[in-house]
Amino acid sequence: MSVGTCAYSFDPVAWEEEHGRSAALDERWSCPREAEGETDRCRFHLSPARRAELGIDDESVCESLVSELATGEASSLGFVGAEFGTIDVSHRVLDRVTNHPIDLRHVTVYGEFLAEQTVLRQPLLMDEIRVEGAADFTDAEFGEDVSAERATFRGDAVFDGTDFEDSARFGGSTFARPASFDRVRFGDVADFYRARFRAPCSFEESAWRGACLFQRAAFRSDVTFTASRFHARTDFRTVQFGGTSRFNRCEFEDAAVFMNCAFAAEALFKKASFAQPAHYQNADFDSEASFTETEFGDKAKFQFATFDGEAVLSYIRFGGATYFKAVDFNSYASFYKSTFDRLGDFRNATFADTARFLKAEFTDEAFFGRATFVGDGDFRSAAFRGTVHFVETTFRSSATLRESTFERARFENVRTAGGDVTINLERTTVDGGRFVQENGAAVYYNLRRSRVGDVDIEMADSEGVFERFLFYRTEFDGFDFSNYRYVLAPEWVLHTFRGTVDDTYSLEADRFAIEDDADEAPGADGGAADESGGGPGEPADGGGVRSRLAGWLADGEASDLEVTYLKAKNGAERVGDSQSASRFFIKEMYYRRRTHVDRAFAHKESLRSRLKLLFLVAVNLTLSATCGYGEKPRRTIGFSLVTVVVYAALFAAVVTDPPFASPLGYGLLSVQSFTSLIFGPTATVPNFAGSFLAATEGFVGAFMIGLFIFALTRSVHR
């Protein structure tokens, strides 16, 4: 028989003093139910031990709970501070007319809390609830708000397939055992602010239609969000990820915030998509971070982040501006085949190991100003369709950008660690840009087999411009040599490069490449031998042992240098620089002769071929001596004077009587013979030998006069 109303009351002030934190209630709450039997409390507020003494088992308490929930009175929904053994409301529909919440705040469940496939149409308050056993809400449906802030789940917590149609709040809650929210659907705000997950947890294939809030949450073990979809803002600000975090194939339709996060183990964002800005500023990645095949539709911000493990950002499409400013990459960093549709900002970034931008594509401007590459900088086959800025960038090891394309490149005051660094731009296309090196650093540029457009070069040592640049089989399309005449004159030598040609490290395909590229086979990595057969500073195959004379005459690089100056001549002609074109043409012809000599002394050539080559050498020498290959009319004049003098001496040897009765008559006769094939009455040659000399000199003279007119006209045109 009942002795009256339940004496239990919850005093938030006393509770806060005892526990040192805010209570879930602001005001004192008293139980309105009748006391159980001879006790002073209802069966919900009796301790399990006292209920056992009275013969009240957990099943009857659970039935009483369901009965209370089925009544129409709002007062019957309050269970603040109640103590339960096991709660089992599985496979039930709890749909009251009233919207008054079911109040389980500060409740203690010593056993399991089972609500599998339960349908609840009323708000549910579970703040400060403590569940000692497993909590199973599999496939449950909550039609109104659910609040479980600062709840404690000491057993496994299973919410697989649960549908929260309204807000769900688990802020400050603790999950001591594995927690599973797979396939859960959050219809409104889902708040896990400062939640603590002390065991593995999973949100795989979950759907978040409202804001997803995990600020300052802590995951001590692995967490999985694979294939989840976030329709509203996602906030993981200052979250601690103690185990592997998996966000593979996630879709973020609104802004995603991971600022100040700490990833102690692997951080996996493979094949994820971000439709709105993604924020990773000041994030710490202690282990591998992988964003392979992820798509950023808007801004991607990683400023001041730290990657202590390998950073794998390969096959990514950055649709918006991308910021990696002041990021520390303390291990291998890969942007293999990634695409930057908008600005790419890597200013002040530090790459402590290999930085691989192999086959990356930058559609807009790319900034690497004051970035530091401690390891190898690998930009092979990259495409820069906007301006790329390497301003005051530091390369401590090596840098290769071979086979890349540049719309406009700025290399200004590049720095080194004190030694020499050669930036490998071999086989690249540089349509425009500036190369400025005025800080005294020993930086060299290898532009072998490249195509150079409208590029300006400024060096602190202006006379050593071409000692810093390797132009070897380089094509010039818009490069203005006239700006460097004072450097090139008087020798007009381009191949004075003093840097190293070969890469100082072994190039490889990206270690995270999805497929093996055919062009990454041996010979395509920049370390294999060039098909040119050599280069400046590289010995070419001479075809066997040569004699000392052959070794002195032959030049193993001659064929390549011939092509080098041919391309330089063509480039100068394209910009209308006729003077440079003239000088480079002379160099081209000179190295063509050296090429013929080289082949003539090669054992692989037949005797007939050697004779032809020696004939070509003779013709080349003749053109050089007589007119400077048509570029130097003064040589024609000089050669003509020598011819007149030689023939005068020959006339003196074969004609006994001097013409005009004077020793100077031989000279006059030679001049007359040189300028005309027909003799006038002013001079006679009595014998056959003299007449033959006069005829041959006349032929040579006519040839030289024609050659002089050609060379003079050509030089005036130049």
Side-chain angles (χ1 to χ4, degrees):
M1 180 177 178
S2 175
V3 297
T5 305
C6 178
Y8 177 83
S9 66
F10 180 85
D11 184 0
V13 175
W15 191 93
E16 290 173 0
E17 291 178 354
E18 179 182 354
H19 294 85
R21 63 177 186 271
S22 299
L25 284 75
D26 296 329
E27 300 176 351
R28 177 185 290 271
W29 180 88
S30 298
C31 180
R33 296 180 181 85
E34 293 184 358
E36 183 73 24
E38 299 296 329
T39 68
D40 61 349
R41 296 195 178 189
C42 68
R43 61 172 49 194
F44 299 113
H45 288 103
L46 289 173
S47 66
R50 182 62 175 145
R51 284 199 297 264
E53 293 176 359
L54 297 174
I56 304 173
D57 58 18
D58 291 344
E59 184 176 352
S60 64
V61 175
C62 186
E63 290 177 355
S64 298
L65 172 64
V66 173
S67 177
E68 290 278 342
L69 295 178
T71 64
E73 298 180 4
S75 60
S76 65
L77 300 179
F79 300 90
V80 176
E83 298 182 49
F84 295 91
T86 295
I87 296 178
D88 187 356
V89 291
S90 299
H91 309 288
R92 296 178 183 272
V93 177
L94 304 176
D95 189 4
R96 292 279 298 274
V97 177
T98 178
N99 284 328
H100 195 80
I102 298 174
D103 195 345
L104 298 177
R105 290 178 290 181
H106 291 278
V107 164
T108 301
V109 181
Y110 293 100
E112 297 178 334
F113 194 149
L114 306 177
E116 185 178 356
Q117 295 185 354
T118 298
V119 178
L120 180 62
R121 301 301 184 189
Q122 296 163 253
L124 176 62
L125 301 179
M126 296 193 297
D127 302 335
E128 291 287 353
I129 192 173
R130 188 172 86 247
V131 182
E132 298 291 341
D136 189 352
F137 292 84
T138 302
D139 295 325
E141 296 182 21
F142 296 95
E144 296 292 339
D145 295 339
V146 175
S147 180
E149 294 186 343
R150 300 185 300 280
T152 301
F153 298 91
R154 298 191 184 278
D156 293 353
V158 181
F159 290 83
D160 292 346
T162 302
D163 188 354
F164 296 91
E165 295 184 8
D166 214 321
S167 64
R169 301 184 183 277
F170 291 85
S173 294
T174 300
F175 297 84
R177 296 280 297 165
S180 180
F181 288 80
D182 292 344
R183 303 181 309 282
V184 69
R185 176 184 174 274
F186 295 97
D188 204 335
V189 175
D191 186 0
F192 288 84
Y193 175 75
R194 286 187 179 273
R196 297 291 181 266
F197 297 86
R198 296 176 179 174
C201 64
S202 176
F203 292 82
E204 192 167 352
E205 297 183 7
S206 55
W208 311 68
R209 297 194 175 277
C212 172
L213 308 176
F214 277 87
Q215 303 99 312
R216 298 184 179 274
F219 299 91
R220 290 189 180 180
S221 188
D222 298 346
V223 56
T224 301
F225 284 86
T226 301
S228 294
R229 189 167 185 176
F230 302 86
H231 298 270
R233 182 180 178 85
T234 304
D235 198 337
F236 283 83
R237 195 188 315 253
T238 322
V239 171
Q240 303 290 323
F241 293 93
T244 300
S245 53
R246 295 179 175 87
F247 289 85
N248 301 328
R249 302 195 308 279
C250 284
E251 298 180 25
F252 299 88
E253 297 182 1
D254 205 332
V257 181
F258 290 85
M259 296 170 59
N260 299 299
C261 284
F263 297 88
E266 287 182 300
L268 306 177
F269 290 83
K270 299 178 181 179
K271 295 185 178 181
S273 64
F274 296 83
Q276 296 297 321
H279 301 265
Y280 287 86
Q281 297 97 316
N282 293 291
D284 289 330
F285 298 89
D286 295 340
S287 186
E288 178 186 334
S290 179
F291 291 79
T292 303
E293 295 187 90
T294 293
E295 182 171 348
F296 293 90
D298 206 319
K299 296 178 181 178
K301 297 186 175 183
F302 288 82
Q303 297 99 314
F304 306 102
T306 300
F307 293 85
D308 289 327
E310 293 181 337
V312 187
L313 297 107
S314 303
Y315 301 97
I316 295 178
R317 177 182 172 270
F318 294 97
T322 306
Y323 300 92
F324 285 89
K325 183 178 180 181
V327 172
D328 289 331
F329 295 93
N330 295 322
S331 186
Y332 179 89
S334 173
F335 290 83
Y336 179 65
K337 281 191 174 181
S338 289
T339 301
F340 299 80
D341 292 343
R342 300 292 297 276
L343 175 146
D345 187 358
F346 290 84
R347 289 175 295 175
N348 298 100
T350 299
F351 298 88
D353 200 340
T354 299
R356 184 140 289 147
F357 289 83
L358 179 65
K359 296 185 178 180
E361 182 176 341
F362 295 84
T363 304
D364 205 334
E365 287 190 284
F367 292 87
F368 291 87
R370 296 191 177 182
T372 300
F373 292 84
V374 179
D376 303 321
D378 182 5
F379 291 83
R380 286 174 295 158
S381 302
F384 298 92
R385 308 195 189 285
T387 302
V388 57
H389 304 260
F390 289 93
V391 180
E392 297 184 7
T393 305
T394 300
F395 292 100
R396 295 187 180 181
S397 181
S398 59
T400 179
L401 297 94
R402 59 173 294 154
E403 299 180 4
S404 297
T405 57
F406 299 86
E407 182 74 22
R408 184 170 180 81
R410 290 182 60 199
F411 289 85
E412 299 184 14
N413 293 320
V414 173
R415 302 170 179 174
T416 69
D420 297 353
V421 170
T422 297
I423 297 177
N424 188 352
L425 294 164
E426 188 172 343
R427 298 179 183 272
T428 61
T429 298
V430 185
D431 292 332
R434 298 184 69 211
F435 290 82
V436 179
Q437 201 65 46
E438 297 178 334
N439 59 358
V443 179
Y444 300 87
Y445 299 89
N446 174 10
L447 286 156
R448 182 169 60 177
R449 295 179 177 271
S450 298
R451 185 169 70 86
V452 179
D454 185 11
V455 172
D456 294 327
I457 300 175
E458 298 179 21
M459 294 288 152
D461 181 10
S462 59
E463 296 183 358
V465 169
F466 295 97
E467 294 178 357
R468 298 293 189 97
F469 289 82
L470 172 57
F471 293 122
Y472 195 78
R473 283 182 170 263
T474 304
E475 182 178 349
F476 299 92
D477 187 8
F479 185 79
D480 192 354
F481 284 101
S482 64
N483 294 329
Y484 312 98
R485 290 177 182 173
Y486 65 93
V487 178
L488 292 168
E491 299 298 329
W492 294 84
V493 178
L494 290 176
H495 60 289
T496 58
F497 185 65
R498 293 189 177 183
T500 58
V501 175
D502 292 335
D503 293 323
T504 58
Y505 66 104
S506 177
L507 294 173
E508 60 178 11
D510 187 81
R511 67 183 69 172
F512 299 104
I514 294 177
E515 77 284 344
D516 293 329
D517 293 326
D519 55 358
E520 298 302 335
D525 61 357
D530 198 304
E531 66 268 24
S532 65
E538 301 174 2
D541 181 12
V545 180
R546 297 187 177 97
S547 65
R548 289 186 179 181
L549 177 62
W552 178 75
L553 290 175
D555 189 341
E557 299 175 6
S559 61
D560 291 318
L561 291 175
E562 176 192 350
V563 176
T564 297
Y565 286 98
L566 168 64
K567 292 179 179 292
K569 178 200 70 176
N570 293 339
E573 289 178 344
R574 288 192 185 101
V575 296
D577 185 4
S578 57
Q579 181 179 358
S580 298
S582 172
R583 298 302 181 267
F584 291 143
F585 175 69
I586 294 173
K587 286 291 184 181
E588 173 197 347
M589 296 301 293
Y590 168 76
Y591 284 107
R592 181 175 298 175
R593 182 172 77 243
R594 302 286 291 186
T595 300
H596 294 330
V597 172
D598 186 34
R599 291 184 58 193
F601 286 94
H603 290 314
K604 62 183 179 181
E605 298 289 347
S606 64
L607 178 61
R608 182 177 180 181
S609 296
R610 293 186 187 186
L611 293 176
K612 287 183 178 180
L613 290 168
L614 291 175
F615 173 75
L616 293 176
V617 170
V619 172
N620 188 293
L621 280 171
T622 300
L623 291 175
S624 175
T626 57
C627 62
Y629 304 109
E631 302 293 338
K632 297 181 178 181
R634 64 179 181 275
R635 283 198 180 182
T636 307
I637 296 175
F639 188 84
S640 298
L641 293 176
V642 171
T643 301
V644 169
V645 172
V646 170
Y647 269 92
L650 292 175
F651 279 127
V654 300
V655 178
T656 55
D657 296 328
F660 308 105
S662 171
L664 298 178
Y666 294 112
L668 181 58
L669 175 60
S670 179
V671 171
Q672 290 178 337
S673 300
F674 185 84
T675 57
S676 177
L677 291 173
I678 302 175
F679 295 101
T682 57
T684 59
V685 181
N687 56 27
F688 173 80
S691 297
F692 178 78
L693 288 175
T696 57
E697 185 179 10
F699 176 80
V700 172
F703 178 78
M704 295 304 297
I705 291 172
L707 196 60
F708 174 74
I709 294 173
F710 168 74
L712 180 62
T713 304
R714 185 178 177 89
S715 65
V716 171
H717 174 71
R718 292 290 194 188

